Structures are given as C-alpha cells and as structure tokens.
Amino acid sequence: MEAVVWEGRERVAVADVPEPELPGVHGAIVRVSAASICGSDLHLFHETVPVVPGTILGHEAVGVVEAVGSQVSRVRPGDRVLIPAVIGCGSCPACRAGYPVGCTTLAVKVFGVSPFLPGTQAEKVAVPYADFNLWPLPAEMEDGDALLLTDIYPTGLYAAENASIAPGDVVLVIGCGPVGLCAIQCAQLFGPSVIAALDPIEERRCWAQRFGATVFATAAEATSYLGEITGGRGANAVIEAVGSEATLHLAMDAVSTGGRVSMVGVLVRSDVSFPLGSAFLKDISFRVGLVNVPRYLGRLEALVRHGRLQPRTMLTHSFSLAEAPLAYRTFDRKLGGCLKVCLRPARWCC
Ligand code: NAD
Ligand code: ZN
C-alpha cells in the first residue's frame, strides 16, 4: 500500500509499504478515506522533534473499518469512523479517568511519531483497542468535518477549557495557525467580551478575524491594546498556540494578576526557560498538555451537527496521497494561503 514516510530533514516520500496487520484481538484495520497534515507533523518534518527514517507519518484521519479482531464489538467492517490522534487501551486507570495520554498499557499513544504506531497518512492504519478508540461517524457528517475533529478541534476546546474563560473575559490567543483558530472558535463558546489574536501572517489574521477576533501582527500592538481595554491589567486568559519560548514568555507577561495561561503549543526541549519570576507575584494558573482527544468528541460532534462549528471550511487545499511531498511543502510554506490540507488515497479521489 501507499504511505507517507519520513526520509530525512524536510524530505517525505510516498513509499510502497507492507499492509498493516490486525493489532491483536482488540484491534482494527481502517481504510483511510481522508487524512490531514498537522503543525505537529512539521516538528518531525523539520526534525525539531526526533524521528526515525521510514516512520509512516500522520495522526489525523477518517476512514472505513475494514477488519476487526475477535474481541471488538462496538465497530464493524463497513463502519465510517474517526481515528483520534491520541489513543489508549481504555481500561488502565488513566484511560478510565479520561486521560489516554497517560495510558500505561500502550507505550506510544500518538500515531505517526514512531515506527511503533505507524501513522495515518497511508491507505490503511492499524488501530489498537478499536472499541475504545474508534469513533463511529453519523452518516450525515462529512469527511472534511470529521477529519478536523481528530486533533485540532479537540485541542482548541481543550485549550479554551484550560483557560477557564468566563462570560465577559478578555482573552488573548497567540498564534493563528489551525490550532490557534480552533482555540478562537472554541473560546467563543464561553462568551468572552474580546478575543485578541496575534499572528505575523496576514492571511492567518484574516481567518482569526472571520472567527470574531481582534487581530494584531506584533506582540507590542497586542499588549498595548490589551493594556488599553483592561486599564493596564492584561488578559484574563491567554492561550499559547505556537510552541516557542518567546510566545510562552509573552503569554506570562500578557496575562493579568489572577489570570490563566493555557499552553497547547508543543515546546518539549529540556532547556526551555520558564518565566517563574514574572509569574510569582501574579497568582497565575498555568496549564499545559497533550490533548486527550476522546474526551471532546461527543461535544464537538454535537456542535458540528447543530451548525455551531463548520470545521471543513478550514480545509483550503486538497491533494491525493501520492502528492504528499507537494502537500507538505505547500502546508509548511503556507503557499497559496494554505491553512489545512486534505490528503486522499487514490480510490477516494474523484
Ligand atoms: P502552525 O505551524 O500551522 O501555526 C503556528 C502559527 O503560529 C503560524 O500561523 C505562525 O505564523 C504563528 N506564529 C509563529 N511565531 C509566532 C509569534 N512569535 N507570535 C504569534 N504567532 C506566531 O501550527 P498549528 O497546526 O496551528 O499548531 C500549533 C501548535 O500546536 C504546534 O506547536 C503544534 O505542535 C501544537 N499542537 C498541540 C497539540 C496538543 O495536544 N497540545 C495538538 C495539536 C497541535
Ligand atoms: Zn495534530
């Protein structure tokens, strides 16, 4: 089958790889109908996060169940399903508490970051513990909507919930990539009075504006605006959706005394400086983590079903799976206003 593999820094290829085997009696094989590329894949693409050559990439996909193990009962071959980016076993204490990120059974919980859980940018994917992980899709939900519920919308809702936004709050969202834009849309669900959003790229600011944010190109402009509208106190809540040291520091500076900082940008180097000094006298709540996707799917599905969210509008570009190297380049360089791409294996391309 065809799959997108990491070959080296900024080099991905579409390779012919062996089809996956059923991952035990609790597992399933899903035939992918649509996959996407995430900002997190770019960390691997650029090798800012280590990756083994030959790794099949990707953690965002929807598809149709092709085969299930003997102990699987919730999904059947032929079912359309969403594959969550983050998976668990469903029965260890962490999974039972709703935190598959802490699953003690599975060594690797995110698809496409290591050869031990091959990714979803492929014709087929092996999904362990299918009853717990696979999310059957209602017939009326389009692939494009479901695709963005595999990771970035859950991350947006997680970011907004961690920011504990109350009606009337002033919120700052740093970074208007797909994740920041999902955070803006989800923050709106909690009734803030203002969402200020910061991104140096004009097209991304246009998207943020479309979702109701007041936008800024520089940190100085954003902080001066926040100072003006809050009498110098700063934002009640700040969502960091970039994953850099500079934006972490900015988040801690821009938040008001007693405020909340919610970080979803990935910054996992061990030498990152955390601004404890500026936080110390501000009584800040700081939350950070990897999204536990299944916790958010029920609510997001309802929000999409009732038209409160329209995820597929963010899919600006579509490619066949065979065009993945071009898709990566386009997404990475944001060519032609690229915000989010849809990759379709040949049999699903029209
Ligand atoms: P992206 O690279 O497409 O977008 C990042 C955006 O940040 C870009 O628009 C860029 O212009 C902007 N940016 C860069 N420097 C900036 C600065 N100094 N100030 C303001 N904006 C700046 O990535 P994405 O897909 O939107 O993902 C964002 C982050 O979220 C990544 O680090 C990704 O790995 C992470 N992520 C985390 C989770 C989680 O569970 N925590 C899940 C998915 C993605
Ligand atoms: Zn992702």
Side-chain angles (χ1 to χ4, degrees):
M1 68 165 188
E2 274 185 350
V4 181
V5 298
W6 189 84
E7 284 199 330
R9 187 170 298 171
E10 283 157 33
R11 275 192 301 119
V12 297
V14 180
D16 189 19
V17 302
E19 296 215 347
E21 286 173 16
L22 208 55
V25 292
H26 298 286
I29 300 293
V30 176
R31 184 179 274 280
V32 172
S33 56
S36 192
I37 308 177
C38 177
S40 302
D41 295 321
L42 295 180
H43 299 306
L44 308 184
F45 185 64
H46 294 289
E47 214 182 354
T48 47
V49 167
V51 52
V52 179
T55 299
I56 299 178
L57 299 173
H59 55 260
E60 302 182 351
V62 294
V64 174
V65 176
E66 186 163 275
V68 295
S70 59
Q71 297 300 306
V72 174
S73 58
R74 235 180 101 234
V75 290
R76 306 308 311 159
D79 287 354
R80 275 181 74 230
V81 290
L82 172 165
I83 307 170
V86 177
I87 60 166
C89 71
S91 51
C92 74
C95 283
R96 281 207 310 274
Y99 294 96
V101 160
C103 176
T104 48
T105 309
L106 288 177
V108 182
K109 291 112 186 166
V110 182
F111 287 97
V113 298
S114 106
F116 298 105
L117 189 61
T120 57
Q121 291 162 9
E123 285 181 77
K124 294 183 187 183
V125 190
V127 181
Y129 302 101
D131 277 343
F132 177 66
N133 293 308
L134 289 178
W135 183 268
L137 288 170
E140 69 279 9
M141 186 174 289
E142 293 185 25
D143 273 6
D145 283 331
L147 183 56
L148 300 195
L149 298 195
T150 58
D151 181 7
I152 63 170
Y153 273 86
T155 304
L157 185 50
Y158 169 60
E161 284 197 343
N162 276 356
S164 303
I165 299 162
D169 273 356
V170 170
V171 177
L172 170 66
V173 175
I174 306 174
C176 303
V179 167
L181 292 172
C182 288
I184 292 171
Q185 294 166 73
C186 292
Q188 293 289 19
L189 302 169
F190 297 90
S193 56
V194 171
I195 298 180
L198 170 65
D199 200 295
I201 301 175
E202 187 180 0
E203 278 156 352
R204 302 240 154 145
R205 293 198 298 277
C206 289
W207 276 97
Q209 226 164 4
R210 185 170 156 183
F211 295 128
T214 305
V215 297
F216 300 92
T218 66
E221 286 166 344
T223 45
S224 125
Y225 169 75
L226 289 171
E228 257 169 53
I229 63 165
T230 62
R233 288 192 307 279
N236 302 102
V238 181
I239 294 174
E240 197 282 351
V242 178
S244 78
E245 208 166 311
T247 45
L248 165 62
H249 282 253
L250 172 62
M252 300 296 276
D253 286 342
V255 73
S256 65
T257 300
R260 288 88 55 194
V261 172
S262 162
M263 179 167 188
V264 285
V266 174
L267 182 61
V268 290
R269 294 194 332 263
S270 55
D271 61 345
V272 173
S273 77
F274 187 83
L276 260 185
S278 61
F280 190 71
L281 294 174
K282 280 171 85 170
D283 192 15
I284 289 168
S285 301
F286 179 83
R287 298 196 64 177
V288 64
L290 177 62
V291 61
N292 287 280
V293 175
R295 293 170 77 106
Y296 303 95
L297 291 176
R299 285 175 289 160
L300 287 168
E301 187 191 291
L303 288 161
V304 172
R305 189 166 356 106
H306 296 289
R308 295 288 304 273
L309 298 172
Q310 285 107 23
R312 67 178 183 277
T313 58
M314 289 174 57
L315 286 168
T316 53
H317 287 64
S318 187
F319 297 91
S320 70
L321 188 64
E323 295 172 307
L326 173 63
Y328 264 85
R329 207 163 48 245
T330 306
F331 179 66
D332 179 44
R333 298 186 194 164
K334 303 163 182 66
L335 303 176
C338 184
L339 178 64
K340 199 75 188 169
V341 308
C342 178
L343 292 173
R344 284 201 183 265
R347 69 176 262 163
W348 305 94
C349 287
C350 30

